[in-house]
Amino acid sequence: MTTAPAVIGELARSLDARDVLAPLRERFLLPEGVVYLDGNSLGPLPAAVPPVLTEVVHRQWGTDLIRSWNTHGWWEAPTRIGDAVGRLIGAAPGQTVAGDSTSVQLFTALNAAASLRPGRPLLVTDPGHFPTDRYLADAVARGRGLEVRGVRPAELEAFLAGEGDRVAVVSYSPVDYRTGELYDMESLTRAAHRAGALVLWDLCHAAGAFPLAVDELAVDLAVGCGYKFLSGGPGAPAFLYVARRHHASLETPLTGWTGHADPFGLGAHYTPAEGVARARIGTPPILSLLALEAALTAFDGVDLHRVRAKSLSLTGFLIRCAEELLPLGFEVVTPVEPARRASHVSLRHPHAYGLVRALADQGVVADMRAPDLLRFGVNALYTTHRDVLTAVLRLRDLVSTAAYDPTPHRPGAVT
C-alpha cells in the first residue's frame, strides 16, 4: 500500500500535537535545520551542560583549584553521579559508580563476575554482541583460564539445560545494536540464575531510552555508557552497577588508589573500600563527570514509561513511513512487534553507507552498520514524528533521483 505524503504528514502533525513530552525538546541545543537521528551513538548537547562547564572551568578549577575536591564535591562525584544514573536504571542508591570508559567497566565487571563463581569455566556472550563486548570477553577468558561460548539470547535456555552448571557469567545486551531488537531481560536473567550463573547486562543502548529495573529483576552487574541516550558528551564516563548482595565479595581486577578503603593513607597494600566504591580505579575525570551530571538533569521530572510510549510511537511511525513511502530496495529489519522493539529502526539497503552520507548532506544525521544497515535512532526527549517523516522523505528523494554516490570512499573515522 502506498500512502500520499500529505496524509502521513497530517498524521505526524496530529501525533506531535498530542505529545506531552514535546516541551522537553527545549532542554537540548539542537542545530537549526538538522534532523538528528543518531542520538543512539552520540546524544545532542543538553542546554544545562555549557553553563556548568563554564562554572567548573573558570571558578572551580580556575579559582578554587585543588580545594574543589572538597569544597565542590569532586571526590564524591563518581558515586553521586552513579546514583543519578542508578535512578534511571532502577537501582537503589549505593550500587552504581560512574567514571572510566565502557571498556574498563566491562573488563571490571566480567572479571568480578567470574571471581564470584569460581570453578565454573564458561563465559557466555552473544556472538552478535557489540565488538568491544566480545573482545573483552575473550581477553578476560584468556586471563582467567576460561572458555568463551557464543550463545544467542534465543538459544540460552537450551544451552543452559546442557551446560548450565559450568557457566560462570552470561554477558548480554537487552538491545541488538544493529537491528534494534529488544530482548527479554527478565526471562534471560532468571534462566541464568536457575543455572547458578551470574548475569552482566550492557545497557549502553537502554539506559535513558526506556524504563529499567535492575534491582527488581535481580540483575547481578550492569554497565553502560554516558554518551548515547544520557547525552553526557563524546567519550562521557561509563557506569558500573553491582547489586548490593555482591559487594562484600566483590573483587575487582584493577585495584586503583581511589577504590582503597583509606585512599589518602597511602598504605603499602590494597584494602578495598566498602560497597561499590571499591570499583573506583583512578583519579576521576572531573570535567566529563560533571558534564554528565548536568546532562542527566534533562531527565528531571520525566516519567520513563512515557518516554517508552513515545519511543514506540516514533519507531512504529518510522516503520510505517518506510513501508509506505520508500521505493523497492529497502527492508525493515527491526521487529514490528512493539514488545520486541527498542529505540532505533534499521533498514537494509545495499547502498547503506552512500545513503547515510547523502542524507547528512541533506540535513538528516543517521548512521549505518556494516555491511548494509541504515540505522535511525529516536529519543523521545527531543525527536518528533515530523523529524521521522522528514528523514524518510529525503531518503526517498535521494533514491528516486539517484542523487547519491552508491559506493563512496569509507574513511577510517566513524561517521
Side-chain angles (χ1 to χ4, degrees), residues 282-307:
T283 304
I286 291 300
L287 295 181
S288 53
L289 268 175
L290 297 185
L292 173 60
E293 184 174 37
L296 293 173
T297 64
F299 290 93
D300 286 355
V302 174
D303 183 343
L304 284 173
H305 291 90
R306 286 186 167 179
V307 168

Side-chain angles (χ1 to χ4, degrees), residues 116-133:
L116 289 166
R117 288 295 183 267
R120 287 177 168 240
L122 300 185
L123 192 166
V124 172
T125 193
D126 184 353
H129 223 334
F130 189 75
T132 291
D133 295 78

Side-chain angles (χ1 to χ4, degrees), residues 130-345:
F130 189 75
T132 291
D133 295 78
R134 291 184 278 113
Y135 302 159
L136 284 166
D138 289 341
V140 170
R142 285 195 302 271
R144 303 189 68 92
L146 304 177
E147 179 185 350
V148 175
R149 293 287 185 89
V151 180
R152 295 196 177 278
E155 302 164 355
L156 180 65
E157 290 209 41
F159 176 81
L160 293 175
E163 300 207 58
D165 60 350
R166 302 180 67 228
V167 176
V169 56
V170 175
S171 176
Y172 283 156
S173 169
V175 179
D176 187 310
Y177 77 98
R178 299 155 305 173
T179 68
E181 180 176 0
L182 182 63
Y183 301 122
D184 187 339
M185 287 183 66
E186 181 175 8
S187 65
L188 292 168
T189 299
R190 286 179 176 175
H193 286 171
R194 283 195 298 269
L198 299 184
V199 179
L200 164 62
W201 286 102
D202 179 340
L203 303 179
C204 285
H205 284 275
F210 48 82
L212 293 162
V214 292
D215 281 353
E216 183 180 334
L217 298 184
V219 168
D220 298 294
L221 301 99
V223 301
C225 66
Y227 50 80
K228 296 184 189 295
F229 290 94
L230 303 185
S231 294
F239 63 87
L240 168 65
Y241 162 87
V242 183
R244 196 179 309 279
R245 62 187 177 277
H246 296 308
H247 287 184
S249 303
L250 185 69
E251 295 180 8
T252 58
L254 302 173
T255 50
W257 77 284
T258 71
H260 196 284
D262 183 16
F264 297 99
L266 307 179
H269 303 287
Y270 181 79
T271 302
E274 291 293 322
V276 76
R278 68 180 58 189
R280 294 178 57 156
I281 302 171
T283 304
I286 291 300
L287 295 181
S288 53
L289 268 175
L290 297 185
L292 173 60
E293 184 174 37
L296 293 173
T297 64
F299 290 93
D300 286 355
V302 174
D303 183 343
L304 284 173
H305 291 90
R306 286 186 167 179
V307 168
R308 174 63 171 160
K310 181 181 173 184
S311 174
L312 286 174
S313 178
L314 289 163
T315 53
F317 183 69
L318 201 161
I319 290 171
R320 176 177 174 179
C321 288
E323 292 177 337
E324 299 183 8
L325 298 177
L326 291 179
L328 294 175
F330 289 92
E331 176 193 356
V332 177
V333 299
T334 301
V336 174
E337 304 92 326
R340 296 180 56 223
R341 195 167 71 235
S343 295
H344 69 264
V345 172

Side-chain angles (χ1 to χ4, degrees), residues 88-112:
L88 297 177
I89 65 172
Q95 299 177 99
T96 311
V97 64
D100 299 298
S101 69
T102 309
S103 297
V104 170
Q105 303 288 31
L106 281 166
F107 182 78
T108 297
L110 284 166
N111 271 285

